Amino acid sequence: MSEPHVVVHTDGACSGNPGPGGWGAILAFGDHQKELKGGEAHTTNNRMELMAAIAALEALKRPCLADIHTDSQYLRDGIMKWIHGWKAQWLAHRRQEAGQERRPVKRLDEALGHHRVRWHWVRGHAWNVLNERADVLAREAIAAVRAGAVGALSADKSKDQDDK
């Protein structure tokens, strides 16, 4: 049996950089679609871009082929070009981070280990419908953070996908 194929669109946003931030992700599997969003009170845009991809991959319940569409060159280039340099830095600083929360890049690297991922860059705010929707989710998350919510938030139009 072949692995399930999931198409993911992600976006991150920040109001100020650093400032309150949010991320959004849309996962599509056949006729099913699931929306995720979350945010943090004090963060950066790059961190929110990473968190959108992390949340999407961590939401998958079994190994998948995932086509991730992002408007973040930082996210795409980070995984495709810079990850090996980042890993070398982790080894050098391993003792300093003992007991600390895993950094987003490490979480993303771990999540990638469970799936086969193909990265696609899309131009932001160029009328790509799902990229625009992911941006709306990220901005909704910023509003929720400003209202006192932090972390992963449920998206209004989410449809559960227990089969992934």
Side-chain angles (χ1 to χ4, degrees), residues 96-110:
Q96 296 172 356
E97 294 182 6
Q100 292 181 4
E101 178 184 344
R102 290 178 299 160
R103 293 182 182 209
V105 176
K106 285 186 179 181
R107 277 182 66 190
L108 182 56
D109 185 49
E110 290 171 8

Side-chain angles (χ1 to χ4, degrees), residues 6-66:
V6 179
V7 178
V8 179
H9 286 79
T10 65
D11 201 12
C14 211
S15 182
N17 198 18
W23 54 263
I26 303 164
L27 293 76
F29 176 70
D31 293 336
H32 303 281
Q33 188 170 306
K34 182 173 188 172
E35 295 182 347
L36 306 171
K37 63 183 173 182
E40 298 177 18
H42 188 74
T43 190
T44 64
N45 190 74
N46 284 343
R47 181 180 176 93
M48 294 295 92
E49 297 283 1
L50 291 168
M51 291 305 299
I54 291 165
L57 290 169
E58 289 179 348
L60 300 174
K61 296 183 172 128
R62 65 178 186 228
C64 295
L65 167 60

